[in-house]
Structures are given as C-alpha cells and as structure tokens.
Amino acid sequence: MILAFLGSGALLAGLVLAAFSALLSFWAGYAENGVMIQVGRRAFYATAAMILVAGVLLETALLTHDFSLAYVAEHSDLSTPIALVAAAFYGGQEGSLLYWTLILGILGSASLLASARIGLRLAAYSAGIMAAILTFFLVVLVLVASPFDVLQITPPDGLGLNPVLRDGGMLIHPPVVLAGFASFAIPFSFAAAALLAGRSDAAWIAHTRRFALVAWGLQSAGLVLGMWWAYHVLGWGGYWGWDPVENVAFMPWLATTAYLHSSQVQERRGRLRGWNFGLVMLAFLLVVFGTFIVRSGIVPSVHTFAVSAIGPWFFGFLGVCLLFSVGLLAFRAGDLKSHAEPAPAVSREGAFTLQNLLLIGVIVVVFWGTMLPLVSGMLGQQRVVGPTYYERAAGPLFAALLALMAAGPLVPWRHAGAPLWRSLRWPAGAFAFLLAALLVAGVRSLPALLGLSLALAVAATVVYEYARAAGRWRLAGGGWSRALALVMRRRRHYGAYLAHLGLAMLVLGLAASHFWQQEKDVTLLPGEQVAVAGYTLTYAGVQNRELADHSELVAAMSLGGQSLEPARATYAGLGGQSLTHVAISSSPIADVYVVLAGTNGDGSASFRIFVNPLVSWIWAGGAIIILGVLLGNAGERRVGVAPVAARVRSPVGAS
Amino acid sequence: MIRWGIAMAVVAACVGYLVYSASGGSSEYYLTVSELRAHSPTTGDVRVAGVVQDDVQRSDGGLHLRFTEKDGTASMLVDYSGTVPDIFRPGITVVADGRLGADGVFHARALLAKCPSRFSTTPYTS
C-alpha cells in the first residue's frame, strides 16, 4: 500500500520535472543561456532519478509479494520462481512502459553527459526533446496505465505469470528488445536538435552515430534473442513468422542499418545530409508506430496484446512526432542541400546509396504486409498475407543486398579504380565455388542457391579484408601489441566487418534451415525407433514429474548416447494450461528438435520431429554481430568533432 | 541529383512490382465464421477466426483434432492434423487457416491460437 503511494508520487514528480526540463531546455537553448541550460539538464537527470525510484519501488512490491497492487496481483504469484517474479517487472503492459521510460531516462542521461562538448544550443535542444518524449511516457504512466493502481481488496495470492513467459528467455529477451525500442529516441533527439539549431553539418554525426549504433546493437540482440526464444519455447520448429509484432521490431532495425551506412557518405563526402536526418527520424517514427500497432490491437496478430487505452495515446504521439519531423525537415530543406560533387555510380558512395534504397524497399514491403489487413479492411473484406508474401517480395531485395555486401566493401570511395575485378575475385570465387558445389549436390532452388552462395561471398570479402590487415601486420613486424593497435586504430572498420561476418553466418543458418528443414509426425510405442534425415531416435517411455509450480509429462527419447526429454507441462494454478517443453539436440550441422504432441492409453506417444540444419549458426552469427558492434563502438573518444568536420570540408572541390 | 532520382525510380518500380506480384498471389481473406458463411466460395485458402467450443475431440495421440469454431451467430466444424498450440482449449479464440471442404467441414492446414498475452491476464474485479 505504502509502496503504491510512494510509486505514484515518484511518477508524478518525474512528470513535473520532465515537463519543466523540456520547457526550460528549449527556452534556454533558444536564448543560449548557459546557466538555465545546466538547470534544464539537471532537471532531466532528476526525472531519470524519479523514474528509477518508481522502478525500484515496483520491483520491491513484486519481490515482497505486495498483492495490494493490481499489477503485482495480475502478473506474479507465490509459487513462481523468484527470478521470474522479478522479471514480471516488464512482463505486463504498465510495467513494460515503466521499464521503457526508465531505459530512456538512463540512456538519455548518459547521452547528455557524453554531449558536454557538442555545443550549447544543440545540447539544450536535445535535452529538451528527450525530456518532451519522457513527458509523454510519464503522462501515459500517470493517467492511463499506472503500475501503481491499488486493489480495493488485497487477494491472498496473485494470478501468476503466463506459462509461456516462464522461461529463462524471459529474463533476457524482453529487457533487451524494450531497451532497443527505447534507445531509438536518443539519435532521434540529436537529429531533431541539430535541425532545430540549424547545425546540419557533420558535427552531430559522430555523436548521433554512437547512439544509433547502441540502438542498432540492442535491437539486433533483441531480434536474435526473440528468434531464439520462439525457437526454444513455442515448439513449431521455426523462429520467425512475419507476425506484425516481429515486423514492427524489424523495421526500425532496417532504417538504422541504412543510416549507419549512409552516414559514412556524409562523413567522408559531405553528401546525403537530409537523407541521413530522415533515416534517423524514420527509425524512431517506426518505433512509435510499432508500439501503437502492437498495443492497440488494430492488426490481427498471434500476439494479441490487450486492446488497451494506451492505443489512442500512442496514435496521437505518432501524429505529433510525424508532423514535427516532416515540418523540421521541410523547414531546413534549404540548408540540407549538398555542395559536394556527385560521385560516379560505381563507387562506395554509389554502393551505399543503392543499399539504402534497397533497405527502404524492404521496409516498404514489410510495412505493406503489416498494414494490408487494416487497409483492405477499410476498403472491404479484410485480407492478410503470410510468410510467402514476405519471402517472395523481400527475397530478391535481400539477395541484392547480400551481393552489395559482398562487393561494396571492396569498391573504393569516389571512383572505381581499374583493378576492381582483382579485389572482387575473392567474393566472386567463393560465390562460384559454393554455387557449383550446390548444383553438383543437386540443389535446383534458385533462392537457396543464391542465398547460400551470396552469404559465403560476403564472408569471403570479410576474410579478404582481415587477410590484408594481417599482411600489413606481418610487414610491420607482427606481435600482439601491434595487432591490437592495428585493430583499434581502425576499430570502426574492423567492427563493421565483424558484424558483416556475423550477418553472413546468420544468413547461412537462416537459408539452410529454411530450405532444408525436415519434419515428421510419428506415434511410437516404448522401444520403437524412428529415423529422420539420418538421425535415429528411440522412444524409451513416459513418466510424470512434479516441480515447484507445475507438473511435467516427460516422454524420454534417446538419440545415439544422448537423452532427449520432450515434455508437456501443466500449470495447476492457471486453469490447467499446458505447455510444450521442446527437446533440442544441437550441433553445428543440425538441430534435432522434438515436440511431444500427446500420449495415448497404450503407453505410446506422438511426436513431431524436426531436423533443422545450421540453426546454431544463427545464434553464433548474432553473437558475432554484437561483438562487432562492441568493437566498433569501443571507446571512441579520440575521434572528436573537429577531425570529422575537417574531413568533410576537404574533399569538396578536390575531387 | 538526376542519377539519384533515376536510381530511386528504378528501385521503387522493382519494389512496387515485387509487392504487387507477391501480395496478389499469397494474400488470404481474414474472416469470422459468419463472414465465411456469407462469403461466396473462394478458390484460395482463407483464415477464419472464432471461439473454440467444448466439443474438442483429439485422436492420434493429440495430433489430430476436430472441434466446432463459433462466433456470435454461425459455427463450423474444423478438422486439423498437426501440432496443436499450447494454449488451445475450449473458450479461446483461434484462427484456422485452410479451406471449407465440400463436406461442409473446414480443413485447416494451420491453427493459430491467439496468445492470451502477458498484457491480458484476467484482471481482478473487486
């Protein structure tokens, strides 16, 4: 009870402070009043502190089982393991909004601390915009979806967390993906502030890029973890279903991928300025749009999030953000004209430009697929598209993007030198090799041939780049310290290539498991065997097991010397809801994935068995992408604003 | 600037073509049971949303399923083979993806259960 009182108070105080910080920062930035800018900034930190207090209070309420709070009673109970009770913090609508707001406060404060030197007005405006976004979230938290609402009668026990969420994945996927969503607001704020302040030069890029990379890294991790969770928990043998919830998380990632590449064109050549602002803003707008879609339930999805009162609020917020972004870009359109000479089509700039257009194309495809039910519903009978649409419409674009990923890094800036074919021989060779090998092996599906061969070509390009670096390192005399210095001097370069390598592995895993998944439904008596794609499984028998919050019906199988235990769990406390526990035997070649469908009176059990080739490569690729992001973003303090600006100026007229 | 415009136009044309050709071939109607009854028979697959009734019959170790799906006014018999979503049980909303056979039974090729998500546990009424 007292926790609810304090929590509501903290949120209300945060709201007042955020609104104060927003108004003061805009005014002080406009007046260039240094003292007031500091006050506005401190008010922002104080807002973040208030949100943190509210977060700690909610977590305390959960861990002490304070069921007087509606949120605690609806999302936890006494039997749930304590780690999952803690995770219920972001397991519900109100808590997840509070978590989102908290991440925005923390990342926003960090970005403001790091922006001390980017110029008074720019820093003030970005603080103002972030505070305004926080104000919106706090209004929703205080008025519409408060996690601190109190029940009139305190129940003895809570309802508990949905069984699907009672998994180790719950501890890591939602916090990462929500943090990813929240973090897109930071680059947006810096972009909008730079436009407001009239600083459309490259100075803001070094700063924005870092936080865009943070957002991109978090979102990459969130997407891969989501796939991992779906694969391990849901038991349908796949990991990506082109559901609206997945699509709306994918689109901001695509837009930021485009920005991370096109911003280099601005840094190196001073071009594409307006475009870069547009991409950063687009990523944030897609996040707000996605939140609206997911939380309002206007599009049919397997995940029906409760149709809640926050839908219209996010719709309004989306409208305001869209008008603000478009208005700002139109207002500064004159300043955003490029002064640099255009580069020839075959150049690094050309490759980045084409890549950007293709990524926007993928966004359009995904957006249309997500919105079709809504649009067709307005025009007549509602229609939906399934995975086939996305594969057919986005597949060719993905193939073109992979080809660009293989060739682009080897094309020099400004113009293609004569011996371009010489550097391209590595990816081309890898492509031809795998293509020939697959053709000999009897593969005739064009998407499979292209997907796998192009992914290998991408990997070959990265290996070639690293081999060249190793050659230079050997010429310079070798040694560990020199290798480290060499990598760290061009860490953005090597970080980016590491991310490329990770993506190539991920694509190999996606393509192999997509095109060559094997599936078999079978009913077996104890002692009987079944063979799927060369793997022989023996069914041992069924047994019952009692655990803390559920009971399990385990149908044990053996695969070689290994024991697999697919099971069905039943949660007594939740109206007897049952849940599949998938058993997976993973190896670098393939996963054997066993789902227990049910058991019969005669002791036999029915299974659905999948053999999924190279799935573990997806998770390994995801991990390598994150390593690349960490390397690319590791302590970049020495790359200040001045050298970036200088680099932009010099090529103008020199080319 | 002109080249930029040409590139944009070419990519836009390709994306437009891809979206048009892909959505023409693979989009499905999304209907409720009563809409399916009112709808003229279609050649392609449709998705039909409705509430699972109490008459669920499982056979073949749980891999084969027969049940009635109903909305406010109309109902239909659904026949399905395959893994059943965990949360499937009478009372929940499912989306059956398949087609209505000549026998009047809806033969589902996929069954999507609406996830009673983390954001919608039944609230206490006090």
Side-chain angles (χ1 to χ4, degrees):
Chain A
M1 205 60 181
I2 183 75
L3 288 173
F5 186 73
L6 290 174
S8 304
L11 286 180
L12 201 57
L15 171 58
V16 173
L17 280 165
F20 172 71
S21 169
L23 293 173
L24 189 69
S25 295
F26 282 124
W27 173 78
Y30 184 72
E32 293 205 301
N33 182 331
V35 177
M36 286 299 138
I37 288 174
Q38 273 303 323
V39 175
R41 191 189 282 245
R42 299 254 163 91
F44 187 92
Y45 300 149
T47 310
M50 281 299 137
I51 302 164
L52 186 61
V53 167
V56 169
L57 288 169
L58 182 62
E59 194 61 70
T60 311
L62 281 164
L63 292 175
T64 57
H65 299 297
D66 185 348
F67 296 123
S68 65
L69 270 72
Y71 187 80
V72 177
E74 282 164 22
H75 297 96
S76 70
D77 63 8
L78 294 170
S79 72
T80 313
I82 201 72
L84 291 172
V85 171
F89 178 37
Y90 44 76
Q93 173 94 282
E94 297 83 4
S96 70
L97 275 179
L98 177 60
Y99 175 81
W100 178 323
T101 314
L102 177 61
I103 296 293
L104 187 55
I106 292 172
L107 281 178
S109 300
S111 74
L112 286 179
L113 282 171
S115 72
R117 282 169 297 160
I118 63 165
L120 276 183
R121 186 172 273 184
L122 193 57
Y125 284 165
S126 49
I129 292 163
M130 281 188 278
I133 298 171
L134 272 187
T135 307
F136 165 74
F137 275 90
L138 286 163
V139 164
V140 173
L141 278 172
V142 167
L143 293 182
V144 197
S146 172
F148 295 105
D149 281 346
V150 176
L151 291 169
Q152 279 165 7
I153 303 160
T154 302
D157 196 358
L159 291 171
L161 203 60
N162 189 318
V164 181
L165 305 180
R166 295 191 192 190
D167 178 87
M170 178 65 187
L171 300 179
I172 176 151
H173 164 65
V176 173
V177 85
L178 284 166
F181 265 84
S183 59
F184 286 103
I186 313 290
F188 171 82
S189 302
F190 279 102
L195 282 179
L196 269 178
R199 286 192 56 173
S200 61
D201 55 24
W204 68 280
I205 273 210
H207 202 73
T208 310
R209 192 191 138 275
R210 269 180 91 174
F211 286 94
L213 195 54
V214 169
W216 189 86
L218 282 168
Q219 195 72 354
S220 306
L223 286 167
V224 174
L225 285 168
M227 288 159 70
W228 180 82
W229 192 9
Y231 182 71
H232 283 80
V233 171
L234 298 182
W236 55 285
Y239 36 75
W240 186 267
W242 295 105
D243 188 80
V245 172
E246 295 160 7
N247 292 348
V248 300
F250 188 37
M251 287 190 284
W253 183 88
L254 290 168
T256 308
T257 307
Y259 168 75
L260 288 174
H261 292 85
S262 67
S263 65
Q264 295 180 49
V265 178
Q266 185 177 350
E267 269 180 274
R268 299 283 288 249
R269 307 271 300 127
R271 302 184 64 236
L272 299 183
R273 285 189 205 166
W275 179 260
N276 284 325
F277 279 110
L279 284 176
V280 172
M281 294 175 141
L282 177 67
F284 178 68
L285 291 172
L286 284 169
V287 163
V288 179
F289 165 78
T291 313
F292 164 61
I293 288 289
V294 166
R295 305 285 171 103
S296 68
I298 60 164
V299 165
S301 156
V302 179
H303 316 241
T304 30
F305 294 78
V307 180
S308 74
I310 71 167
W313 287 82
F314 270 88
F315 189 64
F317 184 57
L318 177 64
V320 170
C321 291
L322 186 65
L323 283 177
F324 176 69
S325 304
V326 172
L328 212 48
L329 280 172
F331 175 59
R332 292 289 180 197
D335 303 348
L336 293 173
K337 289 236 169 64
S338 168
H339 308 295
E341 248 174 70
V346 183
S347 63
R348 187 73 67 82
E349 297 93 310
F352 280 148
T353 308
L354 184 57
Q355 179 251 24
N356 265 238
L357 292 175
L358 288 169
L359 282 170
I360 296 292
V362 178
I363 294 178
V364 170
V365 166
V366 177
F367 187 85
W368 174 249
T370 311
M371 293 305 281
L372 181 65
L374 195 68
V375 176
S376 60
M378 283 176 185
L379 298 175
Q381 186 55 58
Q382 204 171 40
R383 294 177 76 94
V384 285
V385 285
T388 330
Y389 158 77
Y390 295 97
E391 283 151 20
R392 277 165 48 179
L397 299 174
F398 284 136
L401 280 165
L402 280 175
L404 266 180
M405 253 177 105
L410 301 173
V411 181
W413 288 93
R414 272 191 258 177
H415 57 81
L420 180 59
W421 59 271
R422 283 191 50 152
S423 41
L424 285 181
R425 69 191 187 279
W426 285 92
F431 175 78
F433 164 75
L434 191 56
L435 191 67
L438 289 171
L439 281 170
V440 169
V443 179
R444 289 293 177 270
S445 146
L446 185 65
L449 288 169
L450 279 181
L452 287 154
S453 308
L454 286 171
L456 192 70
V458 172
T461 298
V462 176
V463 170
Y464 172 70
E465 283 289 328
Y466 274 102
R468 283 211 307 202
R472 280 198 296 274
W473 165 68
R474 216 174 296 122
L475 273 181
W480 282 112
S481 60
R482 197 171 278 119
L484 191 67
L486 200 71
V487 170
M488 286 314 275
R489 201 172 64 227
R490 301 188 70 199
R491 53 185 164 260
R492 270 179 65 179
H493 188 75
Y494 294 119
Y497 287 142
L498 205 54
H500 276 207
L501 184 67
L503 198 67
M505 284 183 70
L506 197 144
V507 170
L508 283 171
L510 290 177
S513 57
H514 179 75
F515 293 112
W516 295 307
Q517 181 182 58
Q518 305 237 13
E519 183 184 330
K520 192 166 196 169
D521 287 334
V522 65
T523 303
L524 298 173
L525 281 162
E528 282 188 325
Q529 289 190 332
V530 61
V532 187
Y535 292 90
T536 306
L537 293 131
T538 314
Y539 170 48
V542 68
Q543 56 170 0
N544 218 31
R545 225 186 258 168
E546 292 295 329
L547 285 108
D549 57 344
H550 64 277
S551 63
E552 268 184 350
L553 190 65
V554 182
M557 283 203 145
S558 65
L559 170 69
Q562 203 184 352
S563 170
L564 288 176
E565 299 192 329
R568 291 197 76 81
T570 306
Y571 288 80
L574 291 134
Q577 185 170 340
S578 72
L579 186 69
T580 287
H581 284 179
V582 184
I584 302 171
S585 161
S586 202
S587 80
I589 308 284
D591 282 10
V592 179
Y593 184 105
V594 185
V595 183
L596 175 63
T599 49
N600 304 311
D602 59 353
S604 69
S606 300
F607 301 93
R608 174 164 277 199
I609 300 164
F610 296 91
V611 173
N612 299 318
L614 303 194
V615 164
S616 45
W617 290 43
I618 300 175
W619 323 133
I624 291 175
I625 290 175
I626 301 306
L627 281 180
V629 171
L630 291 176
L631 177 61
N633 226 6
E636 223 187 314
R637 280 174 199 90
R638 275 184 294 159
V639 187
V641 171
V644 175
R647 233 185 294 151
V648 174
R649 267 197 303 276
S650 56
V652 178
S655 53
Chain B
M1 229 45 261
I2 294 167
R3 224 172 14 216
W4 176 241
I6 294 172
M8 223 179 230
V10 169
V11 173
C14 291
V15 171
Y17 171 74
L18 286 169
V19 166
Y20 174 76
S21 67
S23 57
S26 57
S27 75
E28 298 176 11
Y29 283 106
Y30 187 89
L31 309 159
T32 61
V33 182
S34 36
E35 280 169 344
L36 177 76
R37 292 287 180 216
H39 208 256
S40 53
T42 45
T43 44
D45 284 359
V46 292
R47 293 193 194 183
V48 184
V51 177
V52 180
Q53 301 301 300
D54 289 329
D55 62 342
V56 179
Q57 295 169 37
R58 286 174 187 258
S59 53
D60 197 14
L63 279 170
H64 182 249
L65 207 62
R66 225 167 219 266
F67 62 95
T68 304
E69 192 182 312
K70 193 179 174 202
D71 66 359
T73 51
S75 67
M76 68 175 187
L77 198 59
V78 180
D79 186 275
Y80 170 74
S81 283
T83 40
V84 180
D86 287 328
I87 50 173
F88 181 89
R89 62 182 157 180
I92 69 154
T93 302
V94 289
V95 181
D97 189 347
R99 64 185 69 189
L100 195 62
D103 50 359
V105 176
F106 190 86
H107 295 273
R109 136 183 96 66
L111 204 59
L112 310 167
K114 289 271 194 176
C115 178
S117 146
R118 46 186 162 159
F119 296 139
S120 64
T121 39
T122 333
Y124 277 107
T125 40
S126 47

